[in-house]
Amino acid sequence: MDHPSNLQEGSSTSEKEMDAMRKTDMEDVSSKRVTEFLQKCVKLEDHEGDARPKEEIIEVQTLPILAPSYSQNVQEEISMVFNTCAMPANLGPCTKRRRDKGSGHDGASTSLYVDRRKSKVWNYYTKLGDAYVECNVCKKQLSFHNSTTTMREHLVRKHSIRDTLLSQLKDDQAPDPDFIAQEHAIKRARQLTPENNTQYHTVSCTEPRTDVILELVLEMIFRDLHPLSVVKDKGFGLLIGYLEPSFILPSPMQLSSMLWHRYNVVKQHLEHYLQTAQSIVICAEFWLSQPNQTYLTIMTNFIDGEWRRARCILETQQVHENKTESNLGDRLYSVLTDFGLSNKSVFCVMHDSLQDLETNSSQLKSVYGWTSLCCAAHLLHLCVKVGLEVEQVQEALSAARGIVCYFQQDAKATCSLNSKLEAINKTKLKLVMDTGVRWITTIEMCECLLDLKWAIMSVLEEHPKGTTVVQNLADHQWKLLQDLVPVMRTLKIATSFLREEQNFSISSLMPCIHGIVTAIGQQSEEASGVIKTVVNNIRSELTQRWGILDDEKLLESPAVVASFLDPRFKEMRFLNPSLRSELHKKIKSMLSQFFNHQSPLSTQFWVPSSDYKAEVGEAGGQLAAHKERGPSGQSQSMYDILLGKDPTESMPEIHQQLENYIVEPLCKRSTNPLDWWKNNEHRFPSVARLARQYLAIPATVVPPDQAFAASESALEHRRGVLAPENLDQILFLHQNFDFLESMRNGNENPNKNAHSQY
């Protein structure tokens, strides 16, 4: 690095010091690691009183040391009960020793030439040659030696340009390494991997820091669903070798031992947490891995004492035999026993397919007394599939797939299409191929084709091979797709509604299904005969699957009861008045049975809190007061002659709570029913206990975002390639670790902070 030879007179730097500095600066920077550079500052006095109009401060700023730092949040999280080691309070000594070792005995270190002209501070200066700059504000000239520190200080001192702007400028001037030095640093990092470095243990990493890195590597594996073999990947080894040369990566066997320990600790906490549940809902998901191996993931859903929705994975098992022949009841019972739960704690079981429901429902009901329900996403898919099986629709969709396939395979046609899209400013639109398995992709394909209709037809006409290779849609087929899209879009809106957090419960399902039936029926009134057939098929399937026209089936449906217990839908507008009255009688009967004959689950699995004790005491006092009133004849007042007997005199307290709940004003659709019940539980304690059971039932087996997704997520793909030896533990920690952590911290909405579902 070249320094100016004309230093100002009166400088405090001696000739001897300048010679030593030049000698140091001429050392080969490529021989030192980038992370061991130190900051070197040589300042000359600022002669503001000098008559010369120039300020000269030589300041050489080097690259910052690349030392990893950990936030207080990470420190606290690792020190929680789920971790086996504590984060050191200060990570500085290790870095300081490395810094001292990398510097010379005089405290100076090698510096790199850095071009800082990309800093925003240059907005206030004009460069005058290689050694001077001029302030654009006051036109004062300053000497420049590859550092903007003097320039920034001048702006602060002379022009009061500071605070947020200068902090941004200071951040922006972080130097970038020289290309040659960067190449040497990368080569040195590769030489520092365990298999290449013969002096790997020359600088030892402190033991607490090693434990922290081990724990973070383990968390990376189960949070992001990586296989344990990731520690053997070359790229991962290069990264760790560069960031922490003295760290020895654990073997997959060591990671497996650490994984089991973490799994057992978290499992114990989950067992204690499950004991506080009034009742639980079991969800059974069958899925395939990449080698087409079937797995069963058993999940539990419940609402805890703080009205927080909990979704936890209990176990993932490999299904060796045909799943239709497997005994699902025995599997579920075994898992419940493993977590210390009784079969009476299960309120109902959710199946991910209609086939599993039909195969296992009777056995689960007769042996264990469990009610079986089917995933709403799967049933909705079956209904739409039947609607799209109309012959004319299938022909149009087949031709549409052919067009999309043609553009995906022909590069020239794709280039021509992109050119036309640029001309009409529709470059963001892309053709989508439907998968056939997910009906969401069918509507996306149709929408894209209709948006790009004229561009597609133009390209097919310009390319002679286009019309011979692919068959264009006929005019009536374009019209058919155009009429089909509004119907499909209504179904898509319904899935968006069920994806919202406040609509996760099955309580939102029946109002949504009734809305679909009504909306698409109105859309088909003026449509063509083909669209009417499609709509009638879908409506017929929806009506049959959810028993909309069967009064007896509706009254027995947990979804209908859950809708009544949801303060947004308790008016039950999708039921006729007589059926509404019957439902109220049914709820009264359920409350009486629930209150007078406490089931074993309520005493065995519900851990009373202070609020719960207050509720029981209040209800007991009210019943005692009712008994003290005595027979109705003895408590009759003279006003009964005129007004008749007071109906509340003989009404049980739980029925009075129900009547008060019925006349309560409706809530907005954006209201979360769990938040409402948390604030009003003290007003309707008996109804609240019933609501906690039914609102815990999810509408879908898996999270709605996954159930209604157009394609498989990245985490789902990673799940499918995990080794079977550690798959259960990785998925268990992936789902439950953050959730239980949020429970410990008392988070109001733990699902928001939990890791994204796969």
Side-chain angles (χ1 to χ4, degrees):
M1 183 182 301
D2 296 333
H3 292 278
S5 60
N6 53 342
L7 299 177
Q8 294 185 18
E9 297 181 4
S11 171
S12 62
T13 305
S14 65
E15 189 69 19
K16 184 178 180 180
E17 292 173 341
M18 294 300 298
D19 292 338
M21 183 174 63
R22 292 192 190 97
K23 183 178 180 180
T24 303
D25 290 340
M26 292 177 63
E27 292 178 359
D28 184 9
V29 298
S30 63
S31 64
K32 292 184 177 293
R33 298 185 67 253
V34 178
T35 58
E36 296 176 348
F37 288 153
L38 303 175
Q39 184 177 21
K40 175 179 65 177
C41 298
V42 180
K43 295 187 177 180
L44 300 180
E45 294 179 359
D46 185 4
H47 300 277
E48 289 189 339
D50 201 308
R52 299 176 63 180
K54 303 181 180 63
E55 295 181 26
E56 182 172 3
I57 296 180
I58 301 178
E59 188 170 304
V60 182
Q61 193 165 350
T62 60
L63 287 172
I65 293 179
L66 302 176
S69 61
Y70 298 90
S71 64
Q72 185 68 18
N73 293 335
V74 176
Q75 180 177 346
E76 293 175 355
E77 179 181 1
I78 295 178
S79 64
M80 298 300 274
V81 67
F82 303 127
N83 293 336
T84 58
C85 70
M87 171 75 74
N90 186 0
L91 298 177
C94 183
T95 303
K96 186 175 185 298
R97 287 195 297 272
R98 194 181 309 126
R99 178 181 301 177
D100 294 340
K101 183 175 180 179
S103 18
H105 44 265
D106 59 351
S109 65
T110 308
S111 175
L112 290 175
Y113 172 78
V114 178
D115 183 6
R116 306 189 194 287
R117 283 172 290 179
K118 294 181 180 179
S119 174
K120 293 182 180 179
V121 75
W122 286 99
N123 294 334
Y124 298 91
Y125 288 93
T126 302
K127 202 168 190 311
L128 304 176
D130 295 333
Y132 301 102
V133 295
E134 181 181 78
C135 177
N136 295 336
V137 181
C138 64
K139 302 301 179 182
K140 188 173 184 178
Q141 295 182 1
L142 308 175
S143 60
F144 172 69
H145 300 294
N146 302 322
S147 174
T148 59
T149 303
T150 303
M151 300 156 63
R152 288 187 291 106
E153 291 177 352
H154 174 78
L155 292 175
V156 175
R157 187 172 59 253
K158 298 297 184 181
H159 306 297
S160 298
I161 301 177
R162 62 179 73 231
D163 299 332
T164 306
L165 176 60
L166 282 182
S167 65
Q168 293 175 352
L169 296 178
K170 186 174 181 180
D171 294 340
D172 291 338
Q173 78 160 19
D176 296 327
D178 185 78
F179 177 77
I180 298 177
Q182 189 178 30
E183 284 293 313
H184 284 286
I186 295 175
K187 291 180 181 179
R188 185 167 295 275
R190 288 174 177 167
Q191 295 171 358
L192 290 174
T193 52
E195 59 269 19
N196 297 330
N197 186 21
T198 57
Q199 299 178 349
Y200 193 68
H201 300 283
T202 55
V203 181
S204 61
C205 185
T206 60
E207 184 175 350
R209 182 180 177 85
T210 300
D211 293 339
V212 168
I213 297 176
L214 281 172
E215 292 294 330
L216 292 178
V217 170
L218 180 64
E219 287 196 17
M220 180 199 72
I221 287 175
F222 69 73
R223 287 181 186 275
D224 300 330
L225 301 185
H226 290 296
L228 299 185
S229 59
V230 69
V231 295
K232 300 175 67 176
D233 293 345
K234 186 175 181 180
F236 185 74
L238 288 173
L239 175 63
I240 296 297
Y242 180 79
L243 296 177
E244 195 63 51
S246 61
F247 178 73
I248 301 177
L249 282 171
S251 66
M253 188 68 68
Q254 290 174 301
L255 279 177
S256 178
S257 177
M258 295 173 60
L259 187 70
W260 269 100
H261 174 73
R262 179 74 67 92
Y263 166 80
N264 289 325
V265 173
V266 176
K267 183 179 178 181
Q268 290 178 5
H269 284 81
L270 180 58
E271 289 177 4
H272 294 307
Y273 186 48
L274 288 173
Q275 301 303 318
T276 68
Q278 177 178 318
S279 63
I280 62 175
V281 177
I282 296 293
C283 294
E285 178 197 6
F286 288 93
W287 55 277
L288 292 176
S289 64
Q290 292 293 354
N292 290 329
Q293 173 62 52
T294 303
Y295 287 91
L296 169 63
T297 296
I298 300 173
M299 297 159 284
T300 179
N301 292 262
F302 62 93
I303 297 174
D304 66 7
E306 296 297 322
W307 289 94
R308 295 172 295 196
R309 183 178 303 280
R311 178 184 178 271
C312 305
I313 286 182
L314 299 183
E315 188 173 286
T316 299
Q317 305 175 353
Q318 190 171 1
V319 182
H320 297 283
E321 68 273 16
N322 191 327
K323 67 177 183 178
T324 59
E325 300 175 358
S326 63
N327 193 335
L328 181 62
D330 292 344
R331 290 177 179 270
L332 298 181
Y333 182 78
S334 175
V335 173
L336 292 174
T337 304
D338 189 30
F339 281 85
L341 299 174
S342 167
N343 64 320
K344 295 181 180 180
S345 64
V346 178
F347 184 57
C348 66
V349 178
M350 290 281 293
H351 302 268
D352 63 345
S353 69
L354 190 60
Q355 180 183 3
D356 296 331
L357 174 71
E358 295 172 347
T359 303
N360 300 288
S361 60
S362 59
Q363 188 254 352
L364 294 178
K365 186 67 175 178
S366 60
V367 177
Y368 302 100
W370 299 338
T371 301
S372 293
L373 300 174
C374 189
C375 175
H378 178 72
L379 291 180
L380 189 58
H381 170 76
L382 296 179
C383 296
V384 177
K385 182 180 178 182
V386 172
L388 297 180
E389 287 178 350
V390 179
E391 182 179 358
Q392 294 90 330
V393 175
Q394 286 296 314
E395 292 176 355
L397 293 178
S398 178
R401 296 186 189 101
I403 293 176
V404 176
C405 183
Y406 169 71
F407 280 98
Q408 289 180 344
Q409 297 178 356
D410 193 303
K412 292 182 179 180
T414 302
C415 291
S416 299
L417 180 61
N418 292 335
S419 300
K420 295 184 181 299
L421 294 181
E422 290 178 1
I424 59 178
N425 295 324
K426 289 188 176 182
T427 54
K428 294 183 179 181
L429 296 177
K430 302 294 181 183
L431 291 175
V432 178
M433 173 68 77
D434 76 327
T435 61
V437 179
R438 302 174 186 256
W439 62 269
I440 294 288
T441 59
T442 302
I443 181 177
E444 292 180 352
M445 179 184 70
C446 295
E447 288 176 334
C448 291
L449 282 174
L450 291 172
D451 289 337
L452 306 178
K453 174 182 177 181
W454 301 110
I456 291 174
M457 295 179 66
S458 177
V459 172
L460 292 179
E461 291 176 358
E462 292 175 0
H463 288 69
K465 295 183 180 179
T467 55
T468 58
V469 175
V470 61
Q471 179 182 1
N472 191 7
L473 287 166
D475 292 341
H476 71 277
Q477 291 178 324
W478 283 110
K479 181 65 167 60
L480 179 60
L481 294 183
Q482 187 174 357
D483 294 339
L484 181 64
V485 164
V487 176
M488 300 290 289
R489 192 172 290 156
T490 301
L491 296 167
K492 188 176 181 181
I493 292 173
T495 64
S496 300
F497 173 77
L498 294 176
R499 285 186 184 190
E500 296 183 359
E501 182 186 2
Q502 66 269 20
N503 300 324
F504 281 7
S505 171
I506 200 174
S507 63
S508 303
L509 185 58
M510 292 306 295
C512 182
I513 297 300
H514 183 266
I516 294 175
V517 173
T518 304
I520 63 177
Q522 295 174 352
Q523 292 171 345
S524 66
E525 290 179 357
E526 299 180 358
S528 63
V530 177
I531 297 300
K532 287 184 178 180
T533 303
V534 172
V535 170
N536 290 336
N537 289 348
I538 295 177
R539 294 184 66 188
S540 176
E541 286 293 314
L542 291 172
T543 302
Q544 178 185 354
R545 301 290 184 189
W546 277 281
I548 295 178
L549 300 181
D550 189 342
D551 292 351
E552 183 177 352
K553 189 174 181 180
L554 278 177
L555 290 177
E556 297 297 328
S557 172
V560 174
V561 178
S563 295
F564 172 77
L565 296 171
D566 190 322
R568 303 170 298 168
F569 309 120
K570 61 188 181 68
E571 283 191 351
M572 310 297 287
R573 297 176 181 175
F574 56 89
L575 299 180
N576 57 60
S578 61
L579 200 58
R580 245 176 279 163
S581 178
E582 290 295 326
L583 178 63
H584 293 169
K585 293 179 181 179
K586 176 181 173 65
I587 301 296
K588 285 183 180 180
S589 175
M590 293 171 61
L591 286 173
S592 299
Q593 183 178 7
F594 189 76
F595 189 82
N596 296 328
H597 305 283
Q598 291 290 337
S599 60
L601 66 92
S602 61
T603 56
Q604 183 177 357
F605 292 94
W606 176 251
V607 177
S609 62
S610 57
D611 294 337
Y612 173 68
K613 291 179 181 179
E615 293 169 10
V616 174
E618 179 183 357
Q622 291 167 341
L623 285 178
H626 172 65
K627 291 180 180 179
E628 291 175 0
R629 284 196 289 262
S632 58
Q634 298 177 3
S635 61
Q636 185 178 15
S637 67
M638 59 181 177
Y639 298 114
D640 292 345
I641 301 174
L642 297 176
L643 305 177
K645 185 177 178 299
D646 188 352
T648 61
E649 290 292 332
S650 59
M651 180 183 298
E653 175 62 23
I654 53 177
H655 293 175
Q656 188 171 348
Q657 290 181 26
L658 180 62
E659 295 296 332
N660 294 339
Y661 170 73
I662 292 174
V663 299
E664 188 75 11
L666 285 177
C667 297
K668 294 182 179 180
R669 283 199 296 264
S670 58
T671 302
N672 191 321
L674 301 187
D675 294 339
W676 188 91
W677 274 112
K678 181 178 181 180
N679 297 327
N680 293 274
E681 181 180 11
H682 64 283
R683 300 173 56 198
F684 319 106
S686 300
V687 184
R689 286 175 60 81
L690 199 62
R692 183 179 272 112
Q693 278 190 332
Y694 279 88
L695 295 182
I697 306 175
T700 56
V701 169
V702 297
D705 286 339
Q706 178 184 344
F708 297 112
S711 59
E712 187 180 67
S713 66
L715 289 176
E716 285 182 273
H717 176 74
R718 293 180 190 176
R719 176 183 70 169
V721 297
L722 290 175
E725 296 81 13
N726 307 107
L727 183 142
D728 180 26
Q729 294 77 39
I730 292 177
L731 294 185
F732 180 89
L733 292 173
H734 172 82
Q735 174 63 31
N736 300 332
F737 183 80
D738 281 340
F739 179 81
L740 291 177
E741 185 75 5
S742 64
M743 292 294 99
R744 288 174 51 83
N745 297 334
N747 193 343
E748 293 296 330
N749 295 301
N751 289 308
K752 289 184 177 180
N753 292 341
H755 202 280
S756 57
Q757 318 295 340
Y758 49 80

